[in-house]
Amino acid sequence: MTQELILDGNSLRLEDVIAVARHHQPCSIAQGAKEDVIASRKIVDDIVLEKRVVYGVTTGFGSLCNVSIPTEDTVQLQENLIRTHSSGFGDPLAEDAVRAIMLIRINSLVKGYSGIRLSTIETLLDMLNKGVHPYIPEKGSLGASGDLAPLSHMVLPMLGLGKAYYKGELLSGKEAMEKAGIATIALAAKEGLALINGTTVLTGIGALATYDAIQLLKLSDIAGALSLEVHNALTSPFEEGLHTIRPQSGQLATARNIRNLVEGSTHTSEPTPDHVQDPYTLRCIPQIHGASKDSIAYVKEKVEIEINSVTDNPIICKDGHVISGGNFHGEPMAQPFDLLGIALAEIGNVSERRVERLVNSQLSKLPSFLVKHPGINSGFMITQYACASLASENKILAHPASVDSIPSCENQEDFVSMGTTAARKAGEIFKNSHRIVATEIMAACQALDLKEQTTGLGQGTQPAYDAFRKQVAFLEDDKDIEIYDELNKASEAIASDEFLAAVEAAAELTIQY
């Protein structure tokens, strides 16, 4: 039986998000957190009973913060909030993103600063554990006053509204909840705002992209190491002494990874009068990959702070004091997720250049486009075109979203983060760069076959080659293949846990020194 992940609001890790979002690890709430939630809710109940003026509890929202709401209307106020704020557009977010969002929202709420009822949190928890996944359109958030639109779509099924997936089927929210055996609820005072006012969507999407980026960094080192062996490149640029005098942690980690990967290889070289140095895309792998490693390590640190933070408004303090502040603002994550996109784009850029070096006969000294009989066969010709297209698209997507802003809510919310756009873009850049790296690995393995250098590889590159060849065959003749099928196999092969595990068993890989 899978062990439950106990949520206390303070100790969620990126790996936990992945376990729940992608592997459906069940969750429960820590007893201490339950007590904090109950105490916070009592404060809100007292505010309503005493008819105190508190934003979002007994007032309207946004620029309507000065409009008082009669006690008898405070419940309807919360439902109205969800109905009108669920104005998202576009394709639905993927299941893993929705599950990450639900998990992170629960973890924030159980910290006990949001004034929500424990039973309401438990409804959302039941949905997560039983696989009721709200239909959340991907677009519509400014990432400022929280992810209001997408989080409202998350809440709709809790009220028997909206749409949700259950066991792979898209149903009305009411039907999905009924089939899962979960009772729908009516929101109490403050609860609608507590559920939707926060950075949860941008953080959930960005957290998945951050985890994927870490894996891609390891794969990019494997791809680079294979390219080194194809070109019989020099190992001297990876010597530790070179990097300790410029001790950037990502650079040090990359140099160590490459040394581990090619250790024992018979297909690398030492400097000679005829081979003094290699081009940047080979020689400067530690500096280029290392810069992305440093950026992504920083983003991971920011993600793990955010997934354990209170991003609600107003905040219900333990002593009963209520603060209307700005923890819902996405700027602290918008800038890191823009950096994540840039770091991922650079991995795609340098990998595409190595693909060109592999398929170009003038640079590789191999048959044109890595095929035995070029002319009648085009081989890998257009794979480089496709990589170039993806790399160029990444350059457009890497333009930062966080430098943009547009006023909203009658200029009350006059500076917004666009953090959800930053997170979504980073995810798209990851997909493009992953395909480029898969193409490099596929091309490098093809080149090694053409050179008859499929043995005597490094302690890490040999298992990489062997594991890849179990999934993707050598391309002998154009008439026997449809290249997109082979590229898809390559992408799937390097995405599998088995591929990285096979390499890491022989050569430990890391993104930090």
Side-chain angles (χ1 to χ4, degrees):
M1 183 176 178
T2 304
Q3 184 176 2
E4 283 188 334
L5 175 65
I6 299 175
L7 304 177
D8 59 13
N10 301 306
S11 52
L12 192 64
R13 302 169 304 143
L14 179 59
E15 291 77 14
D16 296 326
V17 175
I18 299 303
V20 174
R22 293 180 174 166
H23 306 296
H24 290 235
Q25 181 178 5
C27 302
S28 62
I29 302 171
Q31 184 58 39
K34 291 181 180 181
E35 293 167 4
D36 289 340
V37 169
I38 292 167
S40 178
R41 181 62 206 178
K42 185 178 185 308
I43 295 170
V44 172
D45 289 337
D46 289 344
I47 289 169
V48 175
L49 188 64
E50 297 164 10
K51 299 184 179 179
R52 289 164 53 192
V53 177
V54 173
Y55 171 74
V57 180
T58 56
T59 77
F61 308 110
S63 63
L64 302 176
C65 59
N66 295 319
V67 178
S68 294
I69 305 299
T71 302
E72 62 270 19
D73 292 335
T74 55
V75 172
Q76 189 62 52
L77 172 71
Q78 301 301 314
E79 182 179 318
N80 290 351
L81 176 73
I82 303 305
R83 286 179 177 271
T84 60
H85 283 47
S86 52
S87 55
F89 170 74
D91 294 332
L93 292 173
E95 180 182 290
D96 60 350
V98 173
R99 290 183 61 79
I101 290 162
M102 296 167 75
L103 170 67
I104 295 167
R105 195 75 205 137
I106 293 165
N107 197 57
S108 177
L109 293 171
V110 300
K111 290 177 76 73
Y113 289 90
S114 299
I116 192 170
R117 292 173 299 173
L118 178 61
S119 60
T120 300
I121 302 175
E122 288 175 334
T123 297
L124 188 58
L125 181 67
D126 282 346
M127 293 167 65
L128 180 64
N129 284 334
K130 293 183 178 181
V132 176
H133 304 130
Y135 180 100
I136 304 177
E138 63 182 349
K139 299 179 183 181
S141 177
L142 296 175
S145 190
D147 286 303
L148 295 172
L151 283 175
S152 294
H153 284 276
M154 180 194 76
V155 177
L156 283 173
M158 299 173 70
L159 313 182
L161 304 171
K163 296 185 287 186
Y165 293 94
Y166 181 63
K167 294 187 176 180
E169 186 179 3
L170 182 60
L171 306 167
S172 71
K174 183 175 184 293
E175 188 177 4
M177 296 289 275
E178 287 175 350
K179 287 195 171 186
I182 305 171
T184 58
I185 64 170
L187 296 172
K190 174 66 168 67
E191 290 195 311
L193 196 58
L195 286 162
I196 71 171
N197 210 356
T199 61
T200 314
V201 173
L202 68 92
T203 303
I205 296 169
L208 297 180
T210 302
Y211 179 84
D212 290 338
I214 292 168
Q215 307 312 305
L216 183 61
L217 286 167
K218 296 176 183 179
L219 293 168
S220 69
D221 285 352
I222 295 169
L226 286 165
S227 284
L228 288 172
E229 290 181 300
V230 171
H231 297 293
N232 296 107
L234 303 175
T235 56
S236 51
F238 307 98
E239 291 179 14
E240 186 175 9
L242 176 66
H243 303 285
T244 55
I245 59 175
R246 191 197 192 187
Q248 299 286 355
S249 60
Q251 180 176 328
L252 285 161
T254 306
R256 185 177 71 174
N257 284 352
I258 297 297
R259 291 196 304 272
N260 287 347
L261 286 162
V262 302
E263 176 70 29
S265 175
T266 61
H267 306 301
T268 56
S269 304
E270 297 298 326
T272 67
D274 296 326
H275 188 178
V276 176
Q277 60 179 213
D278 293 311
Y280 284 6
T281 53
L282 301 176
R283 185 179 8 138
C284 299
I285 288 174
Q287 293 80 5
I288 299 168
H289 290 195
S292 290
K293 286 183 174 69
D294 285 340
S295 294
I296 291 167
Y298 164 74
V299 177
K300 180 176 185 284
E301 178 184 357
K302 298 290 281 185
V303 166
E304 292 196 322
I305 292 171
E306 196 73 357
I307 62 178
N308 291 292
S309 294
V310 177
T311 59
D312 188 11
N313 185 59
I315 300 302
I316 312 299
C317 299
K318 304 294 186 182
D319 62 0
H321 182 47
V322 180
I323 304 174
S324 184
N327 276 6
F328 50 71
H329 205 288
E331 194 72 16
M333 297 310 301
Q335 292 186 30
F337 289 146
D338 277 334
L339 179 61
L340 176 63
I342 291 168
L344 284 165
E346 285 293 85
I347 291 299
N349 284 342
V350 71
S351 181
E352 183 278 328
R353 287 293 79 202
R354 290 196 297 261
V355 170
E356 164 63 13
R357 188 160 287 277
L358 288 165
V359 304
N360 186 329
S361 61
Q362 297 176 45
L363 300 174
S364 69
K365 309 306 180 187
L366 289 165
S368 292
F369 310 119
L370 298 178
V371 67
K372 284 184 176 179
H373 305 290
I376 189 172
N377 295 305
S378 298
F380 280 65
M381 178 192 291
I382 306 302
T383 64
Q384 184 268 326
Y385 289 41
C387 289
S389 173
L390 295 174
S392 290
E393 180 175 277
N394 281 350
K395 295 167 191 174
I396 296 168
L397 291 172
H399 177 85
S402 60
V403 299
D404 185 29
S405 178
I406 190 165
S408 59
C409 204
E410 296 183 334
N411 227 36
Q412 177 76 355
E413 298 160 11
D414 56 351
F415 190 88
V416 301
S417 78
M418 301 299 182
T420 313
T421 303
R424 288 176 45 238
K425 291 195 304 95
E428 286 301 307
I429 295 170
F430 161 75
K431 293 175 187 175
N432 289 344
S433 292
H434 187 273
R435 180 61 162 224
I436 297 170
V437 170
T439 305
E440 182 185 356
I441 291 174
M442 180 174 164
C445 290
Q446 181 82 1
L448 290 169
D449 282 320
L450 288 171
K451 295 184 75 172
E452 298 182 352
Q453 289 183 185
T454 60
T455 60
L457 301 173
Q459 66 176 6
T461 48
Q462 188 70 60
Y465 172 87
D466 294 340
F468 188 79
R469 276 288 175 251
K470 288 179 182 177
Q471 303 295 321
V472 186
F474 173 75
L475 303 185
E476 184 77 36
D477 197 302
D478 286 4
K479 67 181 177 61
D480 297 326
I481 56 121
E482 294 179 45
I483 194 71
Y484 72 92
D485 280 336
E486 303 307 312
L487 289 165
N488 288 343
K489 289 177 188 175
S491 295
E492 291 166 7
I494 71 166
S496 68
D497 292 339
E498 291 77 10
F499 181 82
L500 261 180
V503 179
E504 290 195 295
E508 179 184 356
L509 301 177
T510 182
I511 73 160
Q512 292 178 294
Y513 191 69

